[in-house]
Amino acid sequence: MGSEALDLGMFAFSLQEIPTIYILLYLLIIHLFAGIVDIMRAREAKKMKGHWRLNLAFGIANILLALSCSLCFRDPMVLAYVYAAGLFYSACLRIAEAFRKTAIVYIP
């Protein structure tokens, strides 16, 4: 959910005339859903003896991001900073995942 999260975030913040609470709920639902899906993927990968720790960390981070957004829903600037921190964390995890060794060689 790397680039999709950025697209959804840009869309959410481009809505100027909609009250902030609706944008917050939109982001909350997206991050909660993504976190739950990532945790389920991590559990499935653990059963199949695959790489699961990074997916679990990403899922927990998405859920924590949603919870932290719910705590600061009155201040849109803090909400933007929390969302930007989540995007930065997501980028770092995606970069780490790109450098992980796999059994399949990818040729671009």
Side-chain angles (χ1 to χ4, degrees), residues 6-106:
L6 181 63
D7 293 340
L8 291 172
M10 297 289 277
F11 172 72
F13 284 118
S14 70
L15 303 173
Q16 294 291 328
E17 292 147 15
I18 295 179
T20 314
I21 190 73
Y22 294 128
I23 297 172
L24 168 75
L25 290 175
Y26 173 74
L27 288 174
L28 269 168
I29 290 169
I30 293 296
H31 282 289
L32 278 175
F33 180 74
I36 290 169
V37 168
D38 285 334
I39 289 173
M40 289 171 51
R41 284 179 50 207
R43 288 183 58 200
E44 182 179 335
K46 186 177 179 181
K47 287 180 187 176
M48 301 185 86
K49 308 285 190 226
H51 299 284
W52 58 274
R53 288 183 179 95
L54 199 58
N55 281 339
L56 183 65
F58 195 63
I60 290 171
N62 266 333
I63 291 175
L64 289 176
L65 180 68
L67 292 176
S68 63
C69 283
S70 69
L71 295 176
C72 62
F73 69 93
R74 295 286 179 206
D75 189 7
M77 189 55 90
V78 174
L79 180 63
Y81 286 138
V82 169
Y83 184 71
L87 284 179
F88 182 74
Y89 179 75
S90 171
C92 291
L93 282 181
R94 298 292 178 182
I95 290 171
E97 188 176 353
F99 286 112
R100 182 174 38 194
K101 293 186 180 206
T102 60
I104 300 171
V105 176
Y106 296 103

